[in-house]
Amino acid sequence: ARAPAKHATARAMPKIELGYWPIRGLGAPARMLCEYAGADYADVNYADAGSWFAGKKPELASGNALINLPYVECDGQVVTHSSVVLEFLGQVTGVDAFASEDHRWANAQALAEIYDLRNALMGVVYPFSGKTTTKEAFEKNCDDHMNATVGKFYAKFETLLKQRGMEFLIRDAPSSADFHLFEMLDQHEIIANRRGMKSPLETFPELKRYHANFKALPQLEKYFASAAYALPMNSIGGGAWIY
């Protein structure tokens, strides 16, 4: 039997403030990580651009010129940008208490690859890249993405799972990269379902197992039943073609 994951206890962790828009987007992986770790955290959602750009952002920018959403404020430190936020949370919660440098760097590489998948998806669902500026362009680009691009990324993650031979990407317990990979897999499942397409996971048995096992984690049962999981995937106000 596999040994249970060891993480810092909620009592040992400082209070965490997580700031993001009221969508899943880049906030969902961080929310899941906090829930999984049992962290004492406040999920602060900025309902509109004014509440962020004219409100909290100038305050945080006075101490961190790079400030953006998502951010984490913890024990007097402000950390921003999605993958860095996940790595930071992994450290302060103990989720990324790695046993070796191999684990650390495998996790960092996975985070970068997952973010590439996320950016490919964003170029399809939002008009701001200039690639998907009309509904007609979205229909074509979404089909191309789901039928070709997704498979190229999924093949890498499928192979990584086989190479490492673990329950999750890096080891037998989730690491910070797993929370973002799950979110990407889950969003693509939602898109496929809404568009009447076959699940992209059907061609990748290891990823299909991975997605199911992650969603069955008892530490995330409350999250998957919560309003946070039911949030839109993308910003309606930001012009997303699918949300």
Side-chain angles (χ1 to χ4, degrees), residues 87 91 95-111 160 164-178:
E87 288 188 279
Q91 289 297 311
V95 165
D96 283 353
F98 295 130
S100 69
E101 286 293 286
D102 168 70
H103 286 179
R104 175 189 174 193
W105 293 116
N107 184 71
Q109 292 172 81
L111 279 167
L160 181 62
R164 298 191 68 85
M166 300 293 176
E167 187 78 9
F168 296 100
L169 279 177
I170 312 305
R171 55 190 180 172
D172 285 329
S175 306
S176 54
D178 289 295

Side-chain angles (χ1 to χ4, degrees), residues 25-168:
L26 293 168
R31 294 176 187 126
M32 283 189 283
L33 194 157
C34 288
E35 288 288 337
Y36 175 81
D40 179 11
Y41 79 106
D43 182 19
V44 179
N45 294 319
Y46 295 91
D48 53 63
S51 64
W52 169 242
F53 289 106
K56 187 72 171 180
K57 183 173 183 177
E59 174 192 330
L60 294 178
S62 66
N64 185 340
L66 305 178
I67 197 66
N68 205 339
L69 295 176
Y71 72 83
V72 168
E73 192 168 8
C74 178
D75 207 19
Q77 189 170 8
V78 177
V79 173
T80 192
H81 292 295
S82 55
S83 293
V84 181
V85 162
L86 289 173
E87 288 188 279
F88 179 79
L89 288 172
Q91 289 297 311
V92 299
T93 63
V95 165
D96 283 353
F98 295 130
S100 69
E101 286 293 286
D102 168 70
H103 286 179
R104 175 189 174 193
W105 293 116
N107 184 71
Q109 292 172 81
L111 279 167
E113 188 69 29
I114 297 159
Y115 202 78
D116 284 350
L117 171 57
R118 185 261 174 188
N119 280 346
L121 178 60
M122 293 305 98
V124 172
V125 302
Y126 284 109
F128 49 69
S129 70
K131 176 183 175 183
T132 311
T133 56
T134 66
K135 181 67 172 175
E136 291 74 20
F138 166 73
E139 295 295 335
K140 178 185 183 302
N141 292 340
C142 190
D143 283 349
D144 291 346
H145 176 82
M146 296 295 287
N147 292 324
T149 305
V150 170
K152 294 175 182 177
F153 281 100
Y154 279 25
K156 295 181 184 181
F157 296 121
E158 179 85 358
T159 301
L160 181 62
L161 286 167
K162 290 176 180 176
Q163 285 175 342
R164 298 191 68 85
M166 300 293 176
E167 187 78 9
F168 296 100

